[in-house]
Amino acid sequence: MLSRSCLDLLSLVSTDDYRALSRIPRVMTVPGVISEFEIDDEERANSGSGSDEAVSSVSQERRIIVANQLPIRASRDADAKKWSFELDSDSLVLQLKDGFPSDVEVLYVGSLKAEIAASEQDEVAQVLLDKFRCVPTFLPAEIQNKFYHGFCKHYLWPLCHYMLPMSPSHGARFDRAQWQAYVLANKIFADKVTEVINPDEDYVWVHDYHLMILPTFLRKRFHRVKLGFFLHSTFPSSEIYRTIPVRDDILRALLNCDLVGFHTFDYARHFLSCCSRMLGLDYESKRGYIGLEYYGRTVTIKILPVGIHMGQLESFLSLSHTADKIKELKKQFEGKIVILGVDDMDLFKGISLKFLAMGQLLEVHQELRGKVVLVQILNPARSRGKDIQDLQNETNDIAKEINEKYGKPGYQPIIFINGPVSTQEKAAYYAISECCIVNAVRDGMNLVPYKYTVCRQGTPALDKAFGVDDESTTPKQSVIIVSEFIGCSPSLSGAIRVNPWNIDDVSEAMNSAIRMPEAEKHLRHEKHYKYISSHDVAYWARSFDQDLERACREHYLKRCWGVGLGLGFRIVALDPNFRKLSVDNIVSAYKSTQSRLILLDYDGTMMPQASINKTPSSDVIYILNCLCSDPKNIVFIVSGRDKECLSKWFSPCHNLGLSAEHGFVTRFSRDSPWENCGLTMDFDWKKIAEPVMALYTEATDGSFIEQKESALVWHHQEADPDFGSCQAKELLDHLESVLANEPVVVKRGQHIVEVKPQGVSKGIVVENLISTMRSQEKSPDFVLCIGDDRSDEDMFESISRTVSNPNLPTIAQVFACTVGQKPSMAKYYLEDTTDVIKLLHGLATASEQPKTADFLRLQDSL
C-alpha cells in the first residue's frame, strides 16, 4: 500500500520546461517506437517508426478531452483472440466534438470499459490512437476497483448527492486506501495526457468527479496549461462537502483550472461557498462572468447545462425500424395512457417513490385503473454492491405489490423493462408516451426530459410513415413531470415540478398531466422544444470552449511559478514586474542611502489578521526602536486604528511616528503633539450613518461598530462569511444612498465597511511626509512602504505618482511592497507578516548602531 507521504510526492516533479526541449515526443505508444514530433529523416529511420500519422502536426489546433471512459465500445472475438472497437455514438464526450471548429483535432484520454491483458495493451493503444484518436489509460484491476467502485461510486457519489455515511450500514465512510487509489488513478491519467500534450498550444478539458485532482498533476507539470473542468454531477452544499477529510486537496485541485463549469447556479454557488468558508476566497462578477482570484490567477466559473445531440435522435426517429417499433408499441398500449420513466438503477433516482405515487394515483382515482400504464425502463447499475441489490429488491417488491393490487388480466399498472435498451428503442418509447416523469431525489442533470421532448416532436420522415402530411393539423404535445432537485429542472419552465419525497404531490402531478387540456400540452411542448433545440450539446461545448479560450488569454502576460507540496501545489501568477522583495537586495540599497522614509501598516502587515491579541510583541517593539534610533531614518506606522490604541501599543518607541485613522491625526514622535490633517471637519454625518450601521449590526450576528474620532467602521469578520459579505454589500449601498450629499467617502475593506471624511487617506499621509522631509532639506533617497489592505494601495499609488513626477526631486530607491501575492499597485510583495518582520530585522541589522545582547538574541530567533 502506498503511504500518504509517498502519494504527496507522486511524480509531482515539474516538467514545465518541456517548451525548451525541442525533441520531446508527443506520443510514446510502444516501447522503442516514438511517434513523429519534429524528428528529422535520419532520426525517423533510426527509430524504426513506420507511422507518420500517429499524431498530427503541432500547428493544428487541438482539444484533449479527458474523461473516465473513452467513447469506445470494445468486444473480443474469443475464437480469433482479437479485439474489435467502434465509436460509442451515445457518449457525451464524443458528441461534444460537434461544438468545435471543423479544423480542430480532438484527442481523447480515458479508460476502456473492457479489461485488456497487459500483453495486449501496447497493440491496443496503437490501434486506438491511429483509428480513433484515443489514448487509453490501463488501470490495474485493484486500482480500478478501489478508484471507481470504491472511492468514486461508494463514497464521492453518495456524498455529492447529500447522503452522509452516518453508520457503516448507511453509506461508505472515507477509506484512506481508496483515496490513495483515486490519487494514483488521477496520476495515471495525467501521465497519459503528458505523453500527448503540446502545452503551449493544446486545450485540455477534464470531465466529472472521477478526475477532480487531475488538474493539480497537470498544473504542476505545465504551469501554463490551458485547462478546463466540467462537473457533470451535483456539487453539495458546504455543510455536506466540509465532511470530506481531503476537502482542501479537491478544492485546490479544481482551482488549478482556468475554467470550472457547472450545470446550475446552485452547484456553482455551493462550490464558491466552500472556497469562501474553507479557503477564505471571495468571488467577483465582472461583465457577466464569475471569477475567483487565486494566487494571481483568475479562475472563471461557467454555468451552463449540457444539451443533447439533436441530430442523433432525429436520425434514429427517421429510420424505418423506429417507425415499425412505434407502430408495435402503439398497438401494444392501444387505449392506454403511457407514462414513461427512464432511469439508471441508482439510489438517488427515486424509482420506488415513483412507483408508490403510481399506486396512490390508482388508489385515489379509481377510474384510471386499466387506463394508465407506467412504463419503467431500467438502465444497468453503474456500480455494484449490497446497496444496489437492496434497491433492486425493494423496487421489485413495490412494483409486484401494486401490480397484484390494481392489475387484472391484460393489464399491469407498472411495466418493467430491464436494460440495456438501445437509444433507438428508447426513442420509440419516448415517441408514444403521453407523459415523462423524472422523479430523482437528487441528480446532476438528467437529459431524459430533453430526449423525450425531441422524440415527441418527431421528424418529417416519421410523420410521413404515419401518414401525417400537414404538421400544423396535428400539433405536437408533451408533458413532463420533473423533480425540483435535478439539474435540468430550472431549464424546463413548462414542466410540472414536484417534490419526489411527497408521494401525494407526485400522484396529483400524474393526474394533472393525464387530464391536462390538449392546447396546454402543446404550449408546454413548444416552450421546451424551442429551448432544447437551440441549447444542444454542440452549443454547450462551443460555449465552454470559447470561455476556456477567453480564460487563458493572459497566460503569457504573467510570470508563473509553483508553490506548495503534493496536492497542495498551486501556481502563483504575477505581473512580470511584480517580484518578491529580497532582504539582500533592499539591505544593499539601505546601506547606500542617507535619508530614509519607512512607512508601515500594522494590522495584516506586522500583526496577523487572525491574531486575537493585537498588542505588538517585544520583538516588534525592539526592531522598531532599532530602526528609529538610526539618525538617517524616519519611521512611521500608518494605520486605520485610533490614536489612543496606537499610543498605548507603541509607547515604548520614543522616535516612532504614528498616523492614526488613515491619516486623520499624525504625530512625529512620542513627545510631539497629535496634529489634525488640517481639514475643516463637520461630523454631523455620523448622526445619519450610525443608526444605519446599528440596524445592520442588530441583524448580523458577530458584527460590531467601531467608533473613531473621524470615522465609523462596521466590522463583520466574526459573522458568517456568506451572510456577512452579503450584509456588507447591502450596507455599502445603503450608506452611499443616505450619505450622497455629505462630505464623506464610504469604502469597503477586508471584513469592514468604513465611512470617513473626504480628503483623508493614507496616500495623503505619504505626500505630506515626503513634502515635510524636503522642506527640511532631508529629501528622501530611500522609501520603503509595506501594507496589505486596500487602504494601503493609496500609499502605493501616491509613491508611484511622486516618483513619476519630473518636477520633484528624484528618489533613488523606492520599495512599495504588499503582503501576500495578489494584484497590487506595489512592485514587490512579501508572503506574510513573518516575512515582514524578518525584512525589518535585516534592515535593523544594517543600521548604524551598537548591537546589544537583546538584538543578538532576536537575531538568533529569526
Side-chain angles (χ1 to χ4, degrees), residues 507-537:
S507 174
E508 280 308 305
M510 290 179 173
N511 185 49
S512 297
I514 292 168
R515 303 180 190 280
M516 187 177 292
E518 303 293 310
E520 186 177 347
K521 291 180 182 179
H522 172 65
L523 289 174
R524 289 175 183 259
H525 172 83
E526 286 292 308
K527 190 173 190 178
H528 291 157
Y529 184 76
K530 182 179 180 180
Y531 174 84
I532 293 166
S533 59
S534 61
H535 292 75
D536 62 356
V537 67

Side-chain angles (χ1 to χ4, degrees), residues 317 321-331 427-429 431-432 462 466:
L317 291 171
H321 176 74
T322 305
D324 293 339
K325 182 65 178 178
I326 291 174
K327 290 177 183 177
E328 177 189 328
L329 292 175
K330 281 190 171 184
K331 183 177 180 181
Y429 277 97
I432 62 100
L462 189 62
F466 287 99

Side-chain angles (χ1 to χ4, degrees), residues 596-611:
R596 312 182 191 111
L597 176 61
I598 300 174
L599 304 164
L600 304 170
D601 175 46
Y602 184 66
D603 291 281
T605 300
M606 301 182 70
M607 175 62 63
Q609 290 282 5
S611 294

Side-chain angles (χ1 to χ4, degrees), residues 523-595:
L523 289 174
R524 289 175 183 259
H525 172 83
E526 286 292 308
K527 190 173 190 178
H528 291 157
Y529 184 76
K530 182 179 180 180
Y531 174 84
I532 293 166
S533 59
S534 61
H535 292 75
D536 62 356
V537 67
Y539 174 88
W540 169 76
R542 182 165 53 252
S543 179
F544 188 92
D545 189 57
Q546 290 170 351
D547 280 358
L548 181 57
E549 288 188 20
R550 184 190 58 79
C552 298
R553 283 175 186 166
E554 296 184 355
H555 271 202
Y556 290 97
L557 299 180
K558 296 183 177 181
R559 292 186 302 118
C560 299
W561 66 91
V563 297
L565 297 175
L567 296 176
F569 176 85
R570 64 267 188 198
I571 287 294
V572 176
L574 300 172
D575 186 274
N577 297 320
F578 190 59
R579 54 192 182 275
K580 188 169 184 177
L581 185 52
S582 161
V583 175
D584 293 340
N585 185 26
I586 193 171
V587 165
S588 175
Y590 183 86
K591 288 181 177 179
S592 65
T593 51
Q594 303 301 313
S595 180

